[in-house]
Amino acid sequence: MSDELPALPSDKIPHHVAMIMDGNGRWAISRGLPRLAGHRAGTESLRRIIRASVDFGVKYLTIYAFSTENWGRPPEEVRGLMRILENVIDKELVELHKEGVQLRHIGRLEGLDPNIQAKLQKAIELTKKNDKLVLNVAFNYGGRDEIIDAIQHMIEDGVLAAEVTDDMVSNYMYTVGIPDPDLIIRTSGELRVSNFLIWQAAYSEWYITSTNWPDFNKEEYHRALEAFAQRDRRYGGVTAAVGKVHG
Ligand code: FPP
């Protein structure tokens, strides 16, 4: 735990936190900067949030870094985001590995530049035995594509209709082996899911903040975890204390 922030109840720390890192563009524009400056500032924020996750005892962190819809942005911005991913791997990998971070990727790897694919695969291979934190990078990721890929693979494997269960579908998702997110944080105040983890988020708690991603920091992350600790997760059941049916 961090020295300066109050301790969080250890039994109420989410195992898996997922983040929609939104608002980089608005952060930059409000300062008269190009949008890419916002993404670069967002990378600094990400660095802090990875370390904070380790400090707080979060075991899985999924970050939405590039969606399948993001290909529709101006080519210069798309190229810039690709470069940022490469730079993060080139400059941060050794340190992340030393800190026990295991890197994983979710999304369509084959849609990325071969050079980026190779770097990602090398980083995944290098860190695969680390267990301090699993950092799951959603890059060229779309929730609907993930479900389409899962259905196609099930059909290819000859799965019978009667064999399809909740657990089986989960095992065909990109996130196989990773628990569903307990908490999803979205910055910059938008109230939408944006095609993110649409299968896995069935019972996730949400924390939305108006803060733009580059300004999101450890203190606010701590507030999100405090709010999560107060939530009564019912999974569609009933609260024992109240004894009445909830939605
Ligand atoms: C959404 O903000 C953010 C993104 C599409 C990219 C997120 C990327 C980073 C935080 C940098 C770290 C990246 C990697 C690859 C590790 P937006 O641009 O949609 O903001 P806006 O809604 O204000 O325009």
Side-chain angles (χ1 to χ4, degrees), residues 21-27 35 39 42-43 46 63-66 70 73 77 81 84-85 88 137 139 188 190 213:
M21 311 183 289
D22 199 8
N24 292 347
R26 276 163 282 172
W27 181 93
R35 292 176 55 82
H39 297 313
T43 310
L46 175 59
I63 52 160
Y64 204 6
F66 192 88
N70 288 154
R73 294 191 173 204
E77 184 170 347
L81 283 164
I84 286 177
L85 177 63
V88 167
V137 182
F139 201 94
S188 93
E190 306 292 355
W213 175 255

Side-chain angles (χ1 to χ4, degrees), residues 21-103:
M21 311 183 289
D22 199 8
N24 292 347
R26 276 163 282 172
W27 181 93
I29 301 300
S30 70
R31 284 163 177 76
L33 299 168
R35 292 176 55 82
L36 267 177
H39 297 313
R40 281 193 286 272
T43 310
E44 295 305 314
S45 184
L46 175 59
R47 187 179 287 126
R48 293 191 295 268
I49 293 306
I50 294 170
R51 266 82 202 187
S53 298
V54 173
D55 283 354
F56 292 141
V58 169
K59 292 311 241 180
Y60 299 88
L61 176 66
T62 297
I63 52 160
Y64 204 6
F66 192 88
S67 74
T68 45
E69 290 73 28
N70 288 154
W71 292 108
R73 294 191 173 204
E76 190 195 330
E77 184 170 347
V78 171
R79 273 197 302 274
L81 283 164
M82 299 294 153
R83 226 174 301 124
I84 286 177
L85 177 63
E86 278 197 84
N87 281 343
V88 167
I89 298 174
D90 290 345
K91 296 195 178 135
E92 307 285 334
L93 183 62
V94 171
E95 195 54 37
L96 289 172
H97 183 42
K98 240 192 266 168
E99 290 174 22
V101 175
Q102 182 190 135
L103 201 87

